Amino acid sequence: GRLEVVNGDFSDLTGLTQGSDGWYSGMPNGWTGSGNAYAVHSKEGARPPICNPSQLGRLSQQVGMLDKTSDVVLTFDVSDVFNGETVLKAFILDGKQNQLASGEFTDGGRQTLLAKQVPAGTAIVILFQATQSTPGLDNVSVAVREPGSTALVAAQPRAVADAPITVAAYFIPACRQIRAGTKTNTPA
């Protein structure tokens, strides 16, 4: 079957309660957890909003069932929102909560966790838990590949927020032009 993460970029704020300073409380759509305060921040992260798993306890989602034996690849971004040397623990579990793969991750984009040779018919659950400080979680996706291969078979596209993109350019007339290591006094 097809594995798919619902609301992996946390842009669906449906059902969340807006608080102060960009924070939302509640459980992000598609996810389950044990807490719900300060769940999502709409102003932080490389591409806001981001999830705050430190307040959601064991943040998890069932993402589907495998048709055939496959490697399962979980990809996500971790950010250090409050400069506190964050650590986020990630798991790939089966439907009975047995661990297929786990790892601890610090600040960085495109983090990956791999569960190798997961048998056909296995229900796949992903789980995140903050273990140190306040990590930000974003851009969660899951894919499968042939066992031992590096090519993804069924990568899931990330949901793209409908927010407009602003492009800006700055012209600074007081800049000096530098050519071949020499400085001129001519404005650029």
Side-chain angles (χ1 to χ4, degrees):
R2 185 176 165 153
L3 302 184
E4 183 176 3
V5 176
V6 175
N7 196 20
D9 66 356
F10 302 98
S11 63
D12 182 357
L13 301 175
T14 305
L16 298 179
T17 303
Q18 187 172 3
S20 62
D21 199 26
W23 285 105
Y24 285 78
S25 294
M27 192 54 57
N29 185 34
W31 296 89
T32 59
S34 56
N36 67 7
Y38 303 106
V40 174
H41 198 285
S42 63
K43 297 178 183 178
E44 292 290 335
R47 183 183 282 194
I50 60 168
C51 181
N52 179 10
S54 66
Q55 292 294 313
L56 298 173
R58 295 173 52 93
L59 182 67
S60 67
Q61 185 174 139
Q62 184 165 343
V63 295
M65 187 173 292
L66 295 177
D67 278 345
K68 62 182 184 174
T69 299
S70 304
D71 288 350
V72 177
V73 182
L74 175 61
T75 306
F76 52 95
D77 298 340
V78 178
S79 56
D80 187 352
V81 179
F82 298 109
N83 298 320
E85 298 181 18
T86 63
V87 177
L88 179 69
K89 192 151 188 182
F91 300 86
I92 301 173
L93 308 171
D94 67 13
K96 296 178 182 177
Q97 303 296 304
N98 295 314
Q99 184 175 305
L100 303 173
S102 69
E104 290 189 340
F105 300 86
T106 58
D107 189 26
R110 305 275 313 153
Q111 307 273 9
T112 59
L113 179 63
L114 173 64
K116 295 181 179 182
Q117 297 185 344
V118 181
T122 302
I124 302 297
V125 176
I126 57 174
L127 183 137
F128 296 94
Q129 186 173 23
T131 57
Q132 184 174 315
S133 191
T134 308
L137 174 63
D138 203 2
N139 301 316
V140 180
S141 64
V142 67
V144 295
R145 66 183 190 195
E146 294 292 328
S149 172
T150 59
L152 298 179
V153 175
Q156 298 303 312
R158 292 186 193 170
V160 178
D162 294 331
I165 297 173
T166 303
V167 177
Y170 295 96
F171 173 72
I172 304 172
C175 287
R176 306 263 191 268
Q177 190 174 29
I178 299 174
R179 291 190 187 171
T182 61
K183 183 176 176 182
T184 66
N185 290 327
T186 313

